[in-house]
Amino acid sequence: MLAVKLICVGKLKEAYWRDAVAEYEKRLRPLCKWELIELPEARLPSGPSQAEIAAALEKEGEQLLRHTAGTVYPLCIEGKPVDSPGVAKRLAGAMQSPGAVSFVIGSSFGLSPAVKRAGEGLSMSPMTFPHQLARVMLLEQL
């Protein structure tokens, strides 16, 4: 059975996001070895400088990369646009060999360059979505 990880920066604060994630997790558990990992956001001052943002992304990136396994798909706007059949094709390919697939969602400032280099970056849309919604959208696709 394929191991599928979703590694995210930040926790879902609102109950409706948690309920949506719980529903999709319930549907996924019979199909794969599912794991959701939520990591803390790096603390930043209000109005952070670019250097402070870069340092925070680097810190978050180190945490994210420690939890990845198998094929890594960072979700970022610069990634390759992917549709539903494209996600299905990647998962089908991953099931051909034992291992894991890790999807990574960063903080509101994005992902560090190291995380983006760790695998094939994917973009769900050229539009920007709240990270909580992106998490639910990815789970629906999985």
Side-chain angles (χ1 to χ4, degrees):
M1 184 178 285
L2 181 65
V4 178
K5 288 184 168 192
L6 174 53
I7 309 153
C8 306
V9 175
K11 292 191 175 281
L12 298 176
K13 295 177 181 102
E14 292 85 3
Y16 56 90
W17 293 127
R18 291 191 306 271
D19 291 344
V21 167
E23 177 60 30
Y24 285 113
E25 285 180 325
K26 181 175 73 175
R27 296 177 191 186
L28 278 170
R29 288 192 199 288
L31 305 173
C32 64
K33 183 181 173 196
W34 170 251
E35 186 176 7
L36 171 64
I37 300 169
E38 295 177 315
L39 300 172
E41 283 187 72
R43 294 195 180 263
L44 285 169
S46 60
S49 69
Q50 288 293 36
E52 290 169 323
I53 292 170
L57 289 177
E58 195 64 33
K59 181 180 176 184
E60 291 170 355
E62 290 170 5
Q63 291 181 61
L64 290 164
L65 289 173
R66 271 188 289 232
H67 292 281
T68 60
T71 305
V72 179
Y73 293 109
L75 297 175
C76 52
I77 199 159
E78 310 91 353
K80 180 178 181 178
V82 64
D83 56 11
S84 297
V87 172
K89 182 178 177 182
R90 284 166 177 80
L91 290 173
M95 287 191 283
Q96 300 305 313
S97 61
V101 176
S102 298
F103 292 91
V104 182
I105 298 176
S107 67
S108 58
F109 288 104
L111 292 167
S112 72
V115 173
K116 291 178 185 180
R117 288 190 304 269
E120 179 187 6
L122 300 179
S123 174
M124 291 190 282
S125 171
M127 294 187 289
T128 302
F129 296 106
H131 288 85
Q132 300 91 334
L133 179 57
R135 188 183 305 193
V136 173
M137 290 168 55
L138 175 63
L139 287 171
E140 194 282 326
Q141 292 301 298
L142 295 176

